[in-house]
Amino acid sequence: MKHYYCLFLSLAILLLGCQNKEVDTQENKHPADSVSYFLEKAQATDSIPRKIFLLNEGLQKVQQKSDTLLPLLLDYKIYYHNRLKEYDSALFFADSLERVANFQKDTNWIALSFYRKAVVNRYLENQEGVFKNAFESRKRYFQIGDSIKAARRTLEIAVAQGRMQDYTGSQESATEALRYLNKEKDAQYLSSAYNIIAIAYRNQGFYKDALKEYQNALHYATNLEDSLTYQNNIALVYEDQEDYEKAEFIFEKILSKVSEQDYKSRARYLDNFAFNKWLQDSEKDISSELLLALRWRKEQNDNIGITASYENLAQFYENRDKIKAIDYAKKWLETGKKNNKLQAQIDALKRLINLNSDKGDETNYVSEYIRLNDSLNKLNLQAKNIFAKIKFDEERKQQQISGLEASAAVQAVENQEIKLRNYMLLFFAILVIGIAIFIIYYNRQKHKKEKITEIYNTETRISKVIHDELANDVYNVMSSMETIAPNETMDKLEQIYNRTRNISRENSNITTGAGYRNHLIASLSSICPENTRLIISGEKNIIWSKIKAEKKLIIYRVLQEIMVNMKKHSNASLVALIFNEEEKKLKIDYSDNGKGSSMQAIKTGNGLQNVENRIFSINGKLTFETEKGKGLKIIICIPL
């Protein structure tokens, strides 16, 4: 024995050490003054007052209303205040949770806050409060697409309606919940829904329908307690149908299965079983069973059960011992008042009226019975109206929203049409502007092309005049003076004649077709002096056929003028022309090793200024680099 004691002690110390280590690790997980720290400490302790204290400490540490742990702290507060039956505090923190959830715009927490308020109102037996808050919670769960939780809240609505004797409404709500519940995952809620429907049928006298729905509830029962409850309800329906033998068989089976420690359930089933036997045979003495059930109920503080026991005892003793019957009926009335159960009070008063009718004392209870019955009818009617009004207001609200959405949709369509029309107008305006710009650009380009062609034609015409008239006249003068003029004069006339022939040759017709490149190279070579070496590179790599005719004319004239300028002024021994195509541009690099010049002289010189004007006429670019004694470099870029 000592060995087992030592072993147990060692295990206890080991487990305690592990537990302390785990707690220490958990406590060290968050700073000691953080919200998370107090939340975890509250979860770790078993004392509810201690939990609430730690949760309050955590609430003190919350810095901002947007803290995501704040709703969780408030939710725990609601739960534990309910456990302590501190319902005012629970409602206060449920309202706080709703405000925080709205601030954080978290629909899930908003829905949960309304559900918590519904639970508190259920404890307070405020069925109207249960209905309103469960209704609001359901609406939010539908908004976030959680149909399962919405269905569960619908069941709470159904229970509240049933307790207010709105059996039709209760049945409708429970039936609606069934549409959203999953048969595999929500068996417990399915059984509850069928049970609610069965209760509604039974209270309306539809016993066959009630039996069918109780059987459905029993089919989905997930635990023994619910199963026994539904079997008890089935037995009560058989009792209503006066099929006492079937009811007795079920009650006996229930009593054999209920746990011996579950005195609350045992009292309920024993009381029903005994009363059913008496209904079969009014001569049977069931007082011991009824009193035993009453004793168990008192020990369990089962106020609802105690009321039921007094009801059965009053009825049992009615024809056996009226004094006891009256005494139990009075106790029945008192417990009904204590539990705030109007229906129990009305039923007790009705029994007292019957028991005292032969004594003439029933008048003491009649007025109270009428008053309470009127109050109950009024409350039930009011409840039904409230339930109907809430549903109606919500439906009308949804209709208004739908109407607004429809109007918004129509407005959106109209706005879209206006926007589309504006886009089309803008498109056509851009198109017109684009066409206008294109026409202007085209006309300008056409004008440039025509101007270039006109200049070319003018130059060609002048060349022809010089060749056909001036050069021929000079030649005729030379011929007539050959015998009489001095040699020096004849040499000068020959120079004039050659110059006119060169001018004519330089401005002769230009071939812009297939032979353009060869014609261009031949022209440039003919201009180059005999003592100057001309190097031309890259011209064969240029696709000359894709260059427009007017640009070819400009290139020809520009290079021709550059070469003529070089011949007249540079005294260069080496000239290089490099052709290259870069990024859809024709690039021509000219360089010579002549005597060079200043930039000012180049800009004021007529020859190169003409070159610049020609290049600009086709949107090209021209750059010069020169210094005295360092030659001349020209870079020409022409867009293709």
Side-chain angles (χ1 to χ4, degrees):
M1 186 74 178
K2 185 177 180 182
H3 172 74
Y4 286 117
Y5 174 75
C6 292
L7 179 61
F8 174 76
L9 183 61
S10 299
L11 288 171
I13 292 171
L14 180 62
L15 289 171
L16 184 60
C18 292
Q19 185 176 2
N20 288 336
K21 184 177 180 181
E22 184 180 348
V23 171
D24 290 342
T25 304
Q26 190 73 7
E27 288 181 359
N28 293 332
K29 189 176 179 181
H30 299 286
D33 60 345
S34 69
V35 177
S36 299
Y37 170 80
F38 286 107
L39 182 59
E40 290 183 359
K41 290 280 286 183
Q43 291 171 332
T45 186
D46 293 330
S47 170
I48 293 179
R50 176 67 178 165
K51 285 178 182 288
I52 291 176
F53 172 79
L54 291 168
L55 290 170
N56 287 337
E57 291 294 309
L59 286 172
Q60 293 295 324
K61 298 297 180 182
V62 174
Q63 299 293 324
Q64 296 179 339
K65 207 172 178 181
S66 58
D67 192 326
T68 55
L69 289 177
L70 179 55
L72 189 60
L73 287 169
L74 294 171
D75 193 41
Y76 274 119
K77 286 276 291 176
I78 299 163
Y79 176 76
Y80 290 119
H81 281 299
N82 275 336
R83 289 279 300 275
L84 295 177
K85 297 184 179 181
E86 297 172 351
Y87 301 125
D88 288 345
S89 297
L91 276 177
F92 172 81
F93 287 107
D95 288 334
S96 299
L97 176 59
E98 182 193 349
R99 288 193 295 271
V100 169
N102 276 302
F103 176 80
Q104 295 185 0
K105 297 181 180 179
D106 191 324
T107 308
N108 186 64
W109 276 115
I110 296 172
L112 190 62
S113 68
F114 281 115
Y115 168 60
R116 297 302 187 210
K117 286 194 273 189
V119 172
V120 177
N121 279 282
R122 186 203 308 155
Y123 291 137
L124 294 172
E125 294 290 339
N126 180 6
Q127 306 306 326
E128 183 181 335
V130 174
F131 182 94
K132 286 181 177 179
N133 287 288
F135 189 89
E136 292 296 328
S137 179
R138 180 185 71 167
K139 182 168 69 176
R140 269 47 175 214
Y141 280 126
F142 273 132
Q143 287 175 0
I144 60 176
D146 193 341
S147 58
I148 300 298
K149 287 183 180 177
R152 294 173 184 178
R153 302 297 85 83
T154 306
L155 287 180
E156 284 146 17
I157 291 172
V159 171
Q161 290 172 303
R163 290 178 178 176
M164 293 297 289
Q165 298 186 8
D166 181 11
Y167 299 119
T168 302
S170 176
Q171 189 174 342
E172 289 175 354
S173 297
T175 303
E176 180 185 352
L178 286 174
R179 292 202 297 267
Y180 300 103
L181 293 171
N182 187 294
K183 290 184 178 181
E184 296 178 358
K185 298 179 181 179
D186 302 304
Q188 182 179 356
Y189 293 97
L190 283 167
S191 64
S192 178
Y194 285 119
N195 185 54
I196 293 168
I197 295 171
I199 290 171
Y201 275 134
R202 183 188 172 204
N203 282 286
Q204 294 176 89
F206 303 120
Y207 299 123
K208 288 184 179 180
D209 294 311
L211 281 173
K212 178 182 175 182
E213 300 304 331
Y214 277 132
Q215 291 291 348
N216 287 331
L218 183 61
H219 174 74
Y220 287 104
T222 57
N223 54 64
L224 179 62
E225 183 180 353
D226 288 345
S227 176
L228 296 179
T229 297
Y230 301 145
Q231 291 180 63
N232 176 75
N233 292 342
I234 290 171
L236 290 175
V237 175
Y238 283 128
E239 191 177 279
D240 293 335
Q241 293 178 313
E242 298 183 0
D243 193 343
Y244 302 117
E245 290 184 1
K246 283 186 179 179
E248 183 179 357
F249 173 78
I250 294 173
F251 284 133
E252 283 181 336
K253 185 169 69 171
I254 294 171
L255 282 168
S256 67
K257 291 182 179 180
V258 69
S259 171
E260 291 185 2
Q261 284 72 39
D262 188 0
Y263 286 101
K264 184 176 180 180
S265 297
R266 286 178 66 192
R268 178 187 180 193
Y269 301 142
L270 177 61
D271 192 65
N272 289 340
F273 174 60
F275 195 74
N276 179 74
K277 286 197 296 183
W278 177 75
L279 289 174
Q280 291 184 73
D281 184 1
S282 59
E283 298 299 322
K284 284 186 178 180
D285 185 3
I286 60 168
S287 57
S288 59
E289 290 98 325
L290 295 179
L291 291 172
L292 178 59
L294 177 61
R295 179 165 64 83
W296 284 343
R297 281 168 162 169
K298 286 182 177 180
E299 290 172 355
Q300 298 297 315
N301 293 319
D302 181 9
N303 294 324
I304 303 299
I306 291 169
T307 304
S309 285
Y310 286 144
E311 179 181 0
N312 287 345
L313 283 165
Q315 192 170 347
F316 170 72
Y317 280 113
E318 184 172 3
N319 295 321
R320 287 174 176 266
D321 187 338
K322 283 198 174 183
I323 294 176
K324 286 186 177 182
I326 291 171
D327 180 57
Y328 284 123
K330 288 180 179 180
K331 290 179 179 179
W332 178 12
L333 177 63
E334 289 303 316
T335 54
K337 290 179 179 179
K338 182 179 179 181
N339 298 329
N340 197 28
K341 298 291 185 181
L342 283 178
Q343 189 61 54
Q345 295 176 55
I346 291 168
D347 291 340
L349 286 168
K350 187 176 180 181
R351 182 67 60 186
L352 285 169
I353 291 170
N354 291 333
L355 290 170
N356 289 280
S357 59
D358 56 341
K359 299 179 182 180
D361 296 334
E362 73 278 5
T363 53
N364 296 329
Y365 301 106
V366 170
S367 59
E368 183 66 8
Y369 170 82
I370 294 171
R371 185 185 69 81
L372 289 178
N373 194 55
D374 288 343
S375 296
L376 181 62
N377 291 334
K378 185 177 180 180
L379 285 173
N380 290 341
L381 181 61
Q382 184 179 0
K384 290 179 183 179
N385 290 337
I386 288 172
F387 298 157
K389 182 179 183 301
I390 292 173
K391 283 188 173 182
F392 174 76
D393 289 345
E394 182 62 24
E395 288 175 0
R396 184 170 62 178
K397 183 178 178 182
Q398 291 302 321
Q399 288 175 352
Q400 290 174 345
I401 292 172
S402 298
L404 290 173
E405 289 176 348
S407 298
V410 171
Q411 185 64 41
V413 171
E414 291 178 353
N415 291 340
Q416 190 65 27
E417 289 177 352
I418 292 171
K419 189 182 293 185
L420 181 62
R421 187 164 60 247
N422 290 338
Y423 283 151
M424 291 180 67
L425 290 173
L426 179 62
F427 170 76
F428 284 120
I430 293 172
L431 182 63
V432 169
I433 293 170
I435 292 172
I437 292 172
F438 173 77
I439 291 171
I440 293 170
Y441 174 79
Y442 176 79
N443 288 332
R444 285 183 178 178
Q445 293 300 316
K446 184 179 179 182
H447 177 68
K448 280 185 179 181
K449 184 177 179 181
E450 290 174 349
K451 188 174 181 181
I452 291 169
T453 305
E454 184 181 349
I455 292 170
Y456 167 71
N457 292 333
T458 302
E459 289 174 343
T460 304
R461 187 171 60 255
I462 293 171
S463 172
K464 185 172 178 27
V465 170
I466 291 172
H467 178 272
D468 293 346
E469 298 180 14
L470 182 59
N472 288 336
D473 289 345
V474 172
Y475 181 80
N476 291 331
V477 170
M478 286 175 61
S479 298
S480 62
M481 294 180 67
E482 186 175 3
T483 57
I484 60 173
N487 290 334
E488 184 180 351
T489 302
M490 291 300 295
D491 289 340
K492 288 181 179 179
L493 286 172
E494 186 176 0
Q495 287 178 3
I496 293 170
Y497 174 73
N498 289 333
R499 286 171 62 188
T500 57
R501 292 296 299 271
N502 288 339
I503 293 171
S504 172
R505 191 182 301 113
E506 290 169 5
N507 293 278
S508 61
N509 289 332
I510 299 172
T511 300
T512 58
Y516 174 78
R517 177 172 62 85
N518 295 332
H519 187 61
L520 173 65
I521 301 304
S523 175
L524 297 176
S525 299
S526 66
I527 298 172
C528 188
E530 293 181 358
N531 60 346
T532 302
R533 183 183 177 189
L534 175 63
I535 300 174
I536 300 175
S537 173
E539 79 285 359
K540 294 179 180 179
N541 297 326
I542 305 301
I543 304 173
W544 294 99
S545 60
K546 70 178 184 181
I547 301 176
K548 294 180 179 180
E550 65 271 16
K551 291 184 179 181
K552 288 180 180 178
L553 294 175
I554 295 296
I555 293 169
Y556 191 100
R557 291 301 188 204
V558 163
L559 293 178
Q560 193 178 57
E561 289 189 29
I562 291 173
M563 292 296 292
V564 169
N565 187 74
M566 176 273 300
K567 182 177 179 180
K568 289 180 179 179
H569 305 293
S570 73
N571 296 326
S573 61
L574 179 64
V575 175
L577 272 171
I578 300 172
F579 293 83
N580 190 23
E581 186 176 335
E582 295 179 358
E583 299 179 353
K584 297 182 179 180
K585 290 181 181 179
L586 174 62
K587 184 180 178 184
I588 305 172
D589 288 337
Y590 168 89
S591 61
D592 65 42
N593 63 349
K595 64 182 181 180
S597 181
S598 65
M599 291 298 297
Q600 183 64 30
I602 286 177
K603 290 182 178 179
T604 57
N606 289 332
L608 292 181
Q609 197 169 20
N610 288 336
V611 167
E612 193 173 35
N613 291 334
R614 287 181 188 271
I615 292 297
F616 289 164
S617 69
I618 55 173
N619 299 322
K621 290 183 179 179
L622 186 71
T623 57
F624 299 94
E625 291 182 18
T626 186
E627 286 185 29
K628 286 186 176 181
K630 292 186 179 181
L632 174 64
K633 186 174 183 180
I634 303 173
I635 300 175
I636 302 169
C637 287
I638 299 171
L640 296 177

